[in-house]
Amino acid sequence: MHIEPFKLEEWLKKRESNTKYNLAENCVYAVTLDDFIQITKIDKKQFLSKLCQVKLDYGNIDGGTPILKQAISELYTEILPENILATHGATFANSHLIWSLIEPNDNVIAIYPDYQQFISLPKSFGAEVRILHRDPKKGYSICKEELDSLCDNNTKLITLSNPNNPTGALLSLHELKELIEVARKYNTYIICDEVYRHVLQDDQVCPSIADLYEKGISVGSMSKACSMAGIRLGWIATKDKQAMQNIKYHIGYDMSSVGGIKEYIAAIALKYKKALIDRNMSLLRVNLITLDGWLRQNKNHLSYVYPKAGSTVLVFYDYDVPSEKLCSYLYNTTGTLITPGDIFNVPHSFRISYACDHRQLLSGLVCLSEVCEKLNNNPHFLDDINP
């Protein structure tokens, strides 16, 4: 089976280990177990004692322990524990869903810019992928009529992330209902990657597609809201019994279970999720004020849509230079890592994450300012430099 290289992962894995200022990592500054214990104020001795008693076997093979499923279901309004399947992170969940639901010659509508999984994986399974482009000039809203024109009776899936990565855009409840109206017309599933669902600037929680739509499938994880990417635990939530049956049929081939240690830590973390989310939002809000101020100072050449959620923003520039060349030069000369917009098929842009330590963000922006200043003085200084 041929599959396209995952551009984002290829870009990051070649550079992250030697990065000085990482403005590409979109998971909020990760916690240690000591941080976790301090933030949640749980009893350390009791927590570690129970952790050490967890058997190192496969663990629960029915999509997660009852305690974990209950904790995850409480993140929703209409989802029960039996509607949950724990997975090895959200990336695995997205891949597993496409493998479980897509057949050759199905049609998939991918709302973009977004995660490359939703385009490359369906293509690799022989599906036709049609792309609905979100326009920054319209605040990345989704046009109901345009979506309807892309769908037909062969449309199996509509895919998107909400809140969106890389733009930080957030669909309103009205927009979600319009999306559902189109999906219901064609009896199609909606897969919504909702890993940033609890990371909103206004202290709200984004409505879940799994609560709103009978064929809605929500993907979540511990990585973004709880800063625990390292435990590699995500989940799938849906009320659709046929979809869940297909998902479970396939699970024995690629996962079996997620393991007791991960499930134990995740269940405790979700019990104290508010403390973890509050910690992360405090960091993100300070960083976004800094980033927004920097972008305003450079508005002659840079533009962006102010992010409503998540930890990333897509920045457009008017320099006549490919984004990969610009980002490579920045990394090679300063050790500052950002993500080229070309990776998301959005030329003349780059993605900045503001999820890092504040001092790291400040240092990275200073380095980026120096490169922008060079381009201001000589727009062609990168012409003879290889990426």
Side-chain angles (χ1 to χ4, degrees):
M1 179 184 73
H2 172 74
I3 191 167
E4 299 169 334
F6 202 146
K7 295 178 183 177
L8 177 60
E9 298 301 320
E10 292 299 314
W11 172 262
L12 295 176
K13 75 181 183 182
K14 293 176 182 177
R15 297 167 177 84
E16 271 196 319
S17 59
N18 295 312
T19 297
K20 190 173 182 181
Y21 308 121
N22 192 341
L23 277 60
E25 172 57 69
N26 58 344
C27 293
V28 182
Y29 201 59
V31 296
T32 64
L33 279 180
D34 274 340
D35 293 334
F36 168 61
I37 290 167
Q38 183 177 9
I39 292 166
T40 58
K41 296 181 171 57
I42 59 176
D43 184 279
K44 182 175 183 178
K45 185 176 180 180
Q46 185 180 52
F47 171 78
L48 293 177
S49 176
K50 290 186 177 180
L51 180 66
C52 290
Q53 293 174 31
V54 176
K55 288 185 178 181
L56 300 180
D57 57 11
Y58 284 107
N60 189 288
I61 61 172
D62 189 33
T65 62
I67 292 174
L68 177 61
K69 286 184 175 183
Q70 178 63 41
I72 294 172
S73 72
E74 291 172 5
L75 301 174
Y76 301 87
T77 59
E78 302 290 333
I79 293 296
L80 302 174
E82 57 262 35
N83 303 137
I84 300 291
L85 182 82
T87 66
H88 293 301
T91 301
F92 177 91
N94 289 333
S95 299
H96 187 79
L97 280 167
I98 293 168
W99 183 42
S100 302
L101 300 176
I102 285 294
E103 297 179 10
N105 302 316
D106 280 342
N107 168 258
V108 174
I109 310 298
I111 298 175
Y112 220 67
D114 214 308
Y115 216 36
Q116 186 183 334
Q117 276 187 301
F118 291 140
I119 291 180
S120 297
L121 276 178
K123 284 182 178 178
S124 73
F125 292 135
E128 177 195 9
V129 178
R130 302 174 186 173
I131 299 176
L132 175 63
H133 293 279
R134 301 171 72 165
D135 187 349
K137 295 179 181 178
K138 298 179 180 179
Y140 296 109
S141 62
I142 293 175
C143 176
K144 174 185 173 183
E145 291 73 24
E146 187 178 356
L147 175 61
D148 196 342
S149 70
L150 290 173
C151 294
D152 57 34
N153 292 330
N154 200 39
T155 301
K156 188 72 168 289
L157 290 178
I158 298 172
T159 65
L160 73 158
S161 63
N162 189 52
N164 180 256
N165 175 13
T167 67
L170 177 68
L171 295 181
S172 67
L173 178 59
H174 173 71
E175 288 175 301
L176 286 170
K177 287 182 176 179
E178 287 195 328
L179 175 66
I180 290 168
E181 185 179 339
V182 175
R184 191 175 280 133
K185 176 180 176 181
Y186 294 97
N187 193 34
T188 184
Y189 292 108
I190 299 175
I191 296 177
C192 192
D193 186 324
E194 297 176 344
V195 295
Y196 292 105
R197 184 170 161 245
H198 293 80
V199 186
L200 276 65
Q201 292 299 325
D202 60 2
D203 277 332
Q204 300 300 307
V205 178
C206 170
S208 173
I209 202 71
D211 287 325
L212 298 173
Y213 178 41
E214 62 275 8
K215 297 192 73 170
I217 304 174
S218 168
V219 172
S221 85
M222 301 299 297
S223 299
K224 308 300 189 292
C226 293
S227 293
M228 291 184 166
I231 68 171
R232 307 308 303 135
L233 193 139
W235 59 83
I236 295 165
T238 183
K239 292 178 287 187
D240 188 276
K241 292 181 179 180
Q242 184 61 56
M244 184 57 77
Q245 185 180 66
N246 288 350
I247 293 162
K248 287 187 173 183
Y249 280 160
H250 286 76
I251 211 75
Y253 288 94
D254 59 7
M255 189 184 79
S256 182
S257 64
V258 296
I261 287 179
K262 296 162 66 169
E263 292 176 319
Y264 171 71
I265 295 173
I268 298 294
L270 289 173
K271 183 178 179 180
Y272 295 95
K273 61 183 180 295
K274 185 180 185 304
L276 292 164
I277 292 170
D278 287 348
R279 173 261 189 188
N280 290 348
M281 292 311 305
S282 295
L283 183 151
L284 287 172
R285 288 183 179 126
V286 170
N287 282 356
L288 183 54
I289 290 171
T290 298
L291 177 58
D292 181 58
W294 180 85
L295 287 166
R296 290 176 184 272
Q297 291 174 359
N298 292 274
K299 63 182 180 180
N300 288 340
H301 296 279
L302 306 179
S303 63
Y304 67 107
V305 176
Y306 190 87
K308 295 180 180 180
S311 61
T312 61
V313 61
L314 193 62
V315 180
F316 293 84
Y317 57 84
D318 64 3
Y319 305 116
D320 188 20
V321 55
S323 65
E324 187 168 347
K325 176 175 279 193
L326 188 155
C327 295
S328 292
Y329 178 81
L330 175 68
Y331 174 78
N332 292 335
T333 57
T334 71
T336 301
L337 183 61
I338 59 177
T339 308
D342 287 328
I343 281 176
F344 302 99
N345 296 320
V346 184
H348 293 95
S349 71
F350 52 80
R351 187 190 75 173
I352 290 183
S353 169
Y354 51 96
C356 55
D357 174 80
H358 187 67
R359 290 171 295 180
Q360 190 171 149
L361 176 66
L362 288 170
S363 298
L365 292 177
V366 168
C367 295
L368 186 52
S369 292
E370 293 172 356
V371 175
C372 290
E373 185 63 27
K374 288 182 179 181
L375 285 167
N376 295 341
N377 295 330
N378 179 8
H380 301 288
F381 93 94
L382 287 174
D383 286 357
D384 298 324
I385 297 176
N386 293 322

